Amino acid sequence: MGPVRGSKKKRKTEKKPDENASASSEMEGSVDWWDGLSRRMNGLQSPSKGLDKFKSVFRISRKTFIYICSLVKEDMMAKPGSFTFSNGKPLSFEDQVAVALRRLSSGESLVTVGDSFGLHRSTVSQLTWRFVEAMEERGLHHLQWPSTNAEMTEIKSKFEKIQGLPNCCGVIETTHVTMCLPSADPASKVWLDHEKNHSMVLQAIVDPEMRFRDIVTGWPGKIDDWLMFQSSNFNKLCVKGERLNGEKFEVSKGSEIREYIIGDLGYPLLPYLVIPYKGKELPEISVQFNKRHSATRLVASRALARLKEMWKIIQGVMWRPDKHKLPRIILVCCLLHNIVVDLEDDEWQDEMPLSYDHDPGYRQRICGSFDVDGVHLREKLSLYLTGKM
């Protein structure tokens, strides 16, 4: 089974974030809409300290909600069919988006979400899927590799400010989305991973602001990180010289460092992928490199922890999910994560989870493979960081 990255439909015109999306007239309308919906919702807990009721329910600001609505409105409204609450009142477009976002952010069952809104579980399922399809069509521009030198230069500069790594373009890491599958189903064995869980894996490359820049998902959780990366389109582009092939960084006269990403020991050491030194009795230069390398990798751990904390549908154990739809749900959660990063500035970082362990119970699997050019690149970096070049 190969990686799946959302719908295969032709992408439509992209809608970029617009500061005017939160104009006063729209905001006033959203307040009226939310006032009515919040009175109808059942079982809402009191918001956490510092959060208003809206954000405690949907995990995003009203400004972000309005922007998301503007992204998906055309596609969702174009589909036939109408939906009503249990009292017979029709759902507005905002109601429909709210139901989908609540399902994705709370991780609660279709029945629980339906009960809280006064809807049948099938309605919650249909609305969630309509929203997912619309986000695939309209939101993909929020998850892409930097397309300009200026954008990549800014990313490199921000990475260097973390722990001094020059010319670094991203951090790669994987996490598991666990599932509950019937043991009687022969196909369930395919999804059984090394920790005896049924799971699907997500591989992400993250920038210094914890924004996802490239993802691959859809593979069974038992696949090793290096095999998933090896088969990825990102790696194939690197091999062909079409990615991580930008401006080099001069560390000393006649010595340069190319663009690269960093990852843990689950990946091979390549000319464009730098991993830490392995071993206990390491020389001081290697120890110092590993410390800087580890501190820089934290941005990926934080991003994945935040992804699962905010979009809880992929945090816990999913009950018998459709394995063809799950990769698309994961993709949309990553898009929503990036939209929050893009629109809510530093506000969302105040709600970061206390733990960055996004994959509890999973032990590190070591690759051990290396390329000679990768060895040379890591040595240059080590020497440069200790001021010996």
Side-chain angles (χ1 to χ4, degrees), residues 145 214 233-234 237-238 240-246 258-259:
W145 193 251
D214 185 277
N233 187 55
F234 184 92
L237 289 173
C238 290
K240 291 190 290 185
E242 297 175 12
R243 183 140 301 173
L244 298 177
N245 63 339
R258 61 166 293 165
E259 292 182 340

Side-chain angles (χ1 to χ4, degrees), residues 150-200:
E151 190 177 8
M152 183 57 84
T153 298
E154 184 179 5
I155 286 174
K156 293 176 185 178
S157 175
K158 289 180 178 179
F159 267 125
E160 188 167 6
K161 288 178 181 177
I162 297 175
Q163 282 292 325
L165 288 175
N167 232 31
C168 178
C169 301
V171 183
I172 187 169
E173 194 157 327
T174 60
T175 195
H176 292 79
V177 177
T178 53
M179 306 177 284
C180 181
L181 301 178
S183 57
D185 182 0
S188 68
K189 295 180 180 178
V190 174
W191 301 96
L192 196 64
D193 61 34
H194 298 290
E195 303 299 338
K196 307 303 179 186
N197 301 316
H198 292 103
S199 67
M200 184 177 289

Side-chain angles (χ1 to χ4, degrees), residues 287-322:
V287 171
Q288 291 304 316
F289 174 83
N290 281 0
K291 287 181 179 179
R292 292 174 182 265
H293 188 280
S294 177
T296 306
R297 289 205 322 271
L298 272 180
V299 296
S301 298
R302 295 179 71 195
L304 290 169
R306 177 60 174 167
L307 173 73
K308 287 185 169 182
E309 174 65 22
M310 192 162 189
W311 307 105
K312 286 188 168 65
I313 193 168
I314 60 174
Q315 181 190 60
V317 179
M318 298 190 70
W319 178 255
R320 300 187 179 184
D322 184 326

Side-chain angles (χ1 to χ4, degrees), residues 35-62:
D35 185 53
L37 180 65
S38 61
R39 285 199 300 266
R40 286 195 298 271
M41 291 184 70
N42 302 315
L44 288 185
Q45 297 179 348
S46 298
S48 303
K49 185 177 181 180
L51 291 180
D52 62 21
K53 195 172 183 180
F54 185 93
K55 198 161 189 177
S56 71
V57 173
F58 301 113
R59 312 302 301 275
I60 58 176
S61 68
R62 299 186 193 212

Side-chain angles (χ1 to χ4, degrees), residues 78-242:
K79 293 181 182 293
S82 59
F83 304 93
T84 59
F85 292 104
S86 55
N87 62 5
K89 183 175 181 179
L91 274 75
S92 68
F93 165 68
E94 289 83 3
D95 291 333
Q96 295 177 36
V97 174
V99 170
L101 286 173
R102 177 65 178 175
R103 166 75 171 139
L104 297 175
S105 64
S106 71
E108 295 170 343
S109 68
L110 294 172
V111 172
T112 301
V113 175
D115 287 347
S116 67
F117 282 92
L119 298 169
H120 191 272
R121 59 176 295 177
S122 63
T123 302
V124 177
S125 178
Q126 290 179 66
L127 291 175
T128 303
W129 193 242
R130 284 190 176 201
F131 176 79
V132 167
E133 290 180 322
M135 279 297 299
E136 287 179 309
E137 290 288 339
R138 299 294 184 173
L140 283 178
H141 59 287
H142 280 283
L143 200 165
Q144 59 185 2
W145 193 251
S147 57
T148 66
N149 288 334
E151 190 177 8
M152 183 57 84
T153 298
E154 184 179 5
I155 286 174
K156 293 176 185 178
S157 175
K158 289 180 178 179
F159 267 125
E160 188 167 6
K161 288 178 181 177
I162 297 175
Q163 282 292 325
L165 288 175
N167 232 31
C168 178
C169 301
V171 183
I172 187 169
E173 194 157 327
T174 60
T175 195
H176 292 79
V177 177
T178 53
M179 306 177 284
C180 181
L181 301 178
S183 57
D185 182 0
S188 68
K189 295 180 180 178
V190 174
W191 301 96
L192 196 64
D193 61 34
H194 298 290
E195 303 299 338
K196 307 303 179 186
N197 301 316
H198 292 103
S199 67
M200 184 177 289
V201 71
L202 163 65
Q203 175 185 275
I205 300 177
V206 182
D207 74 13
E209 295 181 320
M210 290 178 276
R211 185 183 290 105
F212 298 117
R213 289 294 184 168
D214 185 277
I215 70 164
V216 178
T217 190
W219 290 89
K222 64 184 176 183
I223 188 170
D224 289 314
D225 295 352
W226 64 88
L227 291 176
M228 190 173 182
F229 177 72
Q230 186 179 51
S231 65
S232 70
N233 187 55
F234 184 92
N235 181 56
K236 292 173 183 175
L237 289 173
C238 290
V239 171
K240 291 190 290 185
E242 297 175 12

